[in-house]
Amino acid sequence: MFDNPEIDKLIIFALLGMVAVLGIAVIFLAVKKNTYYVDESGNEIPPVSKKQAQARVQQQPVYEEPVIVKQPVEEIDPIESKLQASAVKPANPRGMVVSVIINGQAQQVTLNAFPVLIGRDSSSCGLPISEPAVSRRHARFTLENGNLYIEDVSEHNGTFINGSKLPPLGRSKINAGDKVNLGRAEIIIDKILY
């Protein structure tokens, strides 16, 4: 077999062809983002198109003042008023308290205005995080229809909430106790202020 140069050439070309096909497959798989995202119940979340993501980024949430109904003091029963006060919350949160943990060091921050951009760029971010794996503009806290959300605004580095990765340019509702991870930084939602 090795005595015939024509057969040797065919074997070499076949091997080179297989190496080329495997190399193209590796490059294709490295470039293709074959990631599946799931919600809390394990259902697959479809990826967000760039057009949908840009529309979300351009939306600005509107802050609505809570409606306060005043009643005369004589008509209010003290026990009933305590029950009503504990059961009724204003329509929108007015802020939140978060703990930012980087390399084991925690810092508590109160956020009072939304949207709040999160990232390394301290000049444009309301919550700057100096951590190399965090993008200059990485994520954003927003307020919409009385709910707080975390949105991924960078397609390069991942944004995780409670261990689940958000789709690139995706978003998720947040509640007190949730944990958001950006690189090696962790943001814990300590309290939502109403």
Side-chain angles (χ1 to χ4, degrees), residues 40-192:
E40 296 85 21
S41 59
N43 298 323
E44 185 176 339
I45 299 171
V48 178
S49 71
K50 288 195 179 227
K51 193 173 190 178
Q52 290 171 327
Q54 288 173 348
R56 261 193 214 154
V57 168
Q58 291 173 353
Q59 291 176 348
Q60 292 295 323
V62 178
Y63 180 79
E64 298 173 10
E65 288 290 327
V67 177
I68 299 172
V69 179
K70 295 184 179 182
Q71 294 180 354
V73 178
E74 304 84 51
E75 297 178 10
I76 298 176
D77 179 54
I79 296 172
E80 187 179 320
S81 68
K82 285 183 184 177
L83 290 173
Q84 287 176 352
S86 65
V88 177
K89 287 193 267 186
N92 289 326
R94 61 177 175 81
M96 67 180 172
V97 178
V98 299
S99 293
V100 180
I101 304 169
I102 304 171
N103 296 326
Q105 302 221 346
Q107 175 186 7
Q108 200 168 52
V109 179
T110 302
L111 305 171
N112 292 318
F114 297 98
V116 177
L117 193 59
I118 310 164
R120 273 193 345 258
D121 187 7
S122 60
S123 64
S124 65
C125 293
L127 183 56
I129 297 180
S130 47
E131 157 45 43
V134 173
S135 299
R136 287 185 303 126
R137 292 179 187 94
H138 194 112
R140 172 178 40 220
F141 288 121
T142 60
L143 174 65
E144 186 177 320
N145 298 327
N147 295 311
L148 288 167
Y149 293 91
I150 180 76
E151 293 181 350
D152 183 63
V153 297
S154 171
E155 294 184 61
H156 304 295
N157 296 322
T159 301
F160 294 81
I161 179 160
N162 298 325
S164 297
K165 184 176 182 183
L166 286 177
L169 305 176
R171 74 176 184 166
S172 176
K173 185 178 172 184
I174 56 172
N175 299 299
D178 285 346
K179 294 179 182 177
V180 176
N181 291 90
L182 313 172
R184 291 184 298 263
E186 182 175 64
I187 302 171
I188 301 172
I189 313 302
D190 293 327
K191 186 190 303 183
I192 297 178

